[in-house]
Amino acid sequence: MNSNYRIVALKEYPKLTEEIDKLHRLGWVKFMGKDPIANKYWNKLQLWFAEFQFLLLDNRGTPIACGHSIPFHWNGTENNLPSGWDGVFEQGILEYENNIKPNSVSALAIVIHPEFQGKGLSELMIKEMKSLVKRNQIHQMVAPVRPSLKHRYPLIPMGEYVRWKRKDGKPFDPWIRTHCKTGATIIKVAEKSMVIPATVQEWEEWTDMEFHSSGKYVIPGGLVPLNINRDANTGVYIEPNVWLNHHLD
């Protein structure tokens, strides 16, 4: 660990939950904070799984990044993976409530303060998450990854996008590339990883756009288009992610 930074677990510093919320507000477009599963379970995640939530502090003790993950049970097969981000989040919560012992951990998010992005902290945060999983005596880790540049190519199917390579043969997407650099391999696309339904008016507020007709709309920060149905007064955003397997040995 670079001496300029320090890792702390939320379990040891529970008062830092407010700092985590600040980082998330800075790190995501507005609609990403409106996912129903996240809103339903986020407080339980931080309360029940505090040892799996951590922060990166700079040399002044200021939180500049945070990482989130959740234990769950997985038999190791592709078909047994949850639907994606929403699915694994809910599964982990429900299994805890039903006393089902986890044998795996899924990453949920890594957020880095905008002022500290591009300084190599993403790789550091992934490595710390993997170390945290091993310290908790769990030997499988997966991640439903949100590719960082996919929002620039919202009309390209995710299955095609993840096959894009740079000239050096490495993944085109920087976030997928960082995960692979730290020992991950692609399992499959999670086509319905996160589903965010809302009224047309809510979507207009979140995107600063107007939707006068039903149809598909490219929205700022969206990995895929938003589906608007004016007659039903609904907008539904169904985001695909990419399941990665982090090899811990």
Side-chain angles (χ1 to χ4, degrees):
M1 170 69 70
N2 188 310
S3 60
N4 292 324
Y5 306 113
R6 180 163 64 99
I7 291 285
V8 298
L10 182 60
K11 187 174 184 178
E12 302 163 1
Y13 296 85
K15 292 183 179 180
L16 289 176
T17 53
E18 186 174 328
E19 297 299 324
I20 289 175
D21 292 340
K22 289 180 182 177
L23 284 168
H24 279 267
R25 286 195 294 270
L26 287 170
W28 301 108
V29 291
K30 186 178 290 187
F31 70 81
M32 288 295 290
K34 306 301 181 179
D35 177 72
I37 294 296
N39 290 336
K40 183 177 181 179
Y41 296 124
W42 193 257
N43 289 339
K44 291 181 177 179
L45 175 76
Q46 299 190 104
L47 180 64
W48 294 350
F49 305 102
E51 69 271 30
F52 288 94
Q53 322 309 315
F54 65 97
L55 297 101
L56 182 69
L57 312 181
D58 66 10
N59 53 16
R60 297 168 298 173
T62 302
I64 58 174
C66 58
H68 305 279
S69 60
I70 189 166
F72 74 113
H73 191 273
W74 177 46
N75 68 9
T77 66
E78 178 179 318
N79 291 338
N80 191 242
L81 280 169
S83 59
W85 195 93
D86 285 349
V88 77
F89 197 162
E90 185 163 54
Q91 181 175 326
I93 295 292
L94 297 180
E95 287 178 345
Y96 179 89
E97 291 178 334
N98 289 282
N99 297 310
I100 297 173
K101 186 178 180 179
N103 68 349
S104 306
V105 167
S106 175
L108 290 177
I110 289 176
V111 182
I112 298 171
H113 191 289
E115 293 180 8
F116 291 87
Q117 292 174 4
K119 300 180 183 295
L121 297 185
S122 297
E123 184 176 346
L124 186 155
M125 292 293 285
I126 294 173
K127 288 180 177 178
E128 178 58 30
M129 186 176 287
K130 294 175 74 168
S131 296
L132 181 153
V133 172
K134 288 189 280 189
R135 288 198 299 272
N136 280 275
Q137 304 298 308
I138 296 179
H139 305 291
Q140 292 187 131
M141 176 178 153
V142 294
V145 170
R146 187 177 200 265
S148 57
L149 292 188
K150 179 64 171 68
H151 68 97
R152 297 184 183 177
Y153 310 93
L155 303 182
I156 299 297
M158 183 66 84
E160 182 176 347
Y161 178 81
V162 297
R163 293 194 297 270
W164 288 5
K165 305 288 184 184
R166 302 192 310 182
K167 290 182 179 179
D168 61 6
K170 295 178 181 179
F172 166 79
D173 187 83
W175 193 215
I176 292 179
R177 192 165 62 245
T178 299
H179 276 269
C180 291
K181 184 179 179 181
T182 58
T185 55
I186 295 174
I187 304 174
K188 66 176 182 178
V189 172
E191 293 290 356
K192 295 183 178 181
S193 188
M194 180 181 286
V195 180
I196 305 177
T199 65
V200 173
Q201 289 76 18
E202 286 173 319
W203 277 107
E204 288 182 336
E205 176 191 344
W206 299 341
T207 60
D208 195 27
M209 295 174 64
E210 295 184 12
F211 306 114
H212 293 282
S213 304
S214 296
K216 296 181 182 295
Y217 289 83
V218 172
I219 58 175
L223 306 195
V224 293
L226 167 68
N227 293 298
I228 291 289
N229 185 327
R230 290 290 312 183
D231 294 335
N233 188 29
T234 59
V236 181
Y237 175 74
I238 303 176
E239 179 170 294
N241 291 158
V242 184
W243 274 116
L244 299 184
N245 188 4
H246 269 281
H247 306 281
L248 300 180
D249 296 333

